[in-house]
């Protein structure tokens, strides 16, 4: 029998994407400013400056955006803006996704009443490829983690 409350947890969507960093490098060579400012948030742009390989950095962030859009596709909200999904890092380095605008609306639209949704993100790379995998889940608002800890929700 599952632990108490586990049956109330649900997956609302999944998304994955793979990007060739060489393709991103070509776009950066031809249209760096236009591409970067159109696709990536200011926070993502600032983080890229710290990266030794900007093409690989942007390839991972681009893969995240595509994976997020696929995970949110069940909402029916269209179009989703490039800058409406932002990848940041937690203090421990774990990648997190912040949603704005139409992406936030899409998540709210697909979340059942009385539930709170979260996005879980995994990013991986093996040069020249970058891969992102996103899971959107939802739990009842009052749901507690096993061992009495509250699940952090944003």
């Amino acid at each position: 029998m599952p632990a108490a409350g586990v049956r109330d947890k649900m997956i609302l969507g999944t998304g994955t994407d793979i990007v060739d960093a060489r393709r991103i490098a070509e776009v950066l060579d031809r249209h760096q400013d236009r591409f970067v400012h159109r696709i990536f948030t200011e926070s993502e742009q600032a983080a890229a400056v710290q990266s030794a390989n900007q093409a690989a950095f942007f390839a991972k962030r681009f893969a995240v955006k595509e994976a997020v859009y696929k995970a949110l596709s069940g909402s029916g909200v269209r179009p989703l803006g490039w800058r409406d999904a932002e990848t940041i890092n937690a203090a421990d380095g774990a990648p997190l996704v912040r949603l704005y605008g139409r992406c936030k609306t899409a998540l709210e639209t697909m979340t059942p009443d009385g539930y709170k949704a979260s996005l879980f993100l995994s990013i991986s790379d093996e040069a020249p490829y970058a891969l992102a995998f996103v899971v959107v889940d939802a739990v009842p608002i009052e749901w507690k983690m096993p061992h009495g800890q509250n699940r952090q929700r944003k």
Side-chain angles (χ1 to χ4, degrees):
M1 179 184 281
V6 171
R7 72 182 186 287
D8 297 326
K9 187 174 181 179
M10 63 180 76
I11 293 177
L12 301 177
T14 61
T16 190
D17 197 64
I18 187 167
V19 175
D20 188 331
R22 296 171 295 193
R23 188 176 125 229
I24 300 298
E26 290 172 8
V27 173
L28 290 173
D29 286 343
R30 284 182 282 160
H31 311 287
Q32 180 162 357
D33 288 340
R34 191 171 84 195
F35 174 71
V36 169
H37 293 299
R38 180 172 167 243
I39 305 296
F40 301 99
T41 66
E42 295 182 10
S43 175
E44 290 169 324
Q45 293 173 45
V49 171
Q50 307 300 318
S51 176
N53 184 338
Q54 286 196 356
F57 179 91
F58 284 128
K60 287 185 258 189
R61 286 347 187 235
F62 192 86
V64 170
K65 291 174 187 293
E66 289 284 344
V68 166
Y69 303 152
K70 291 170 184 174
L72 296 175
S73 66
S75 72
V77 175
R78 305 275 190 289
L80 301 176
W82 286 114
R83 296 167 55 99
D84 289 346
E86 175 181 61
T87 305
I88 59 169
N89 291 94
D92 65 0
L96 303 171
V97 177
R98 283 188 187 154
L99 300 181
Y100 306 99
R102 293 184 67 82
C103 283
K104 185 175 181 183
T105 299
L107 181 64
E108 291 166 352
T109 299
M110 64 193 300
T111 304
D113 289 341
Y115 280 74
K116 180 77 175 169
S118 291
L119 276 78
F120 295 91
L121 169 63
S122 179
I123 306 172
S124 188
D125 64 327
E126 179 65 39
Y129 302 104
L131 175 92
F133 185 77
V134 172
V135 175
V136 179
D137 87 344
V139 295
I141 291 171
E142 71 282 350
W143 190 78
K144 301 221 186 258
M145 290 283 288
H147 309 296
Q149 298 175 354
N150 284 329
R151 183 174 187 187
Q152 185 177 9
R153 296 292 182 167
K154 295 189 178 183

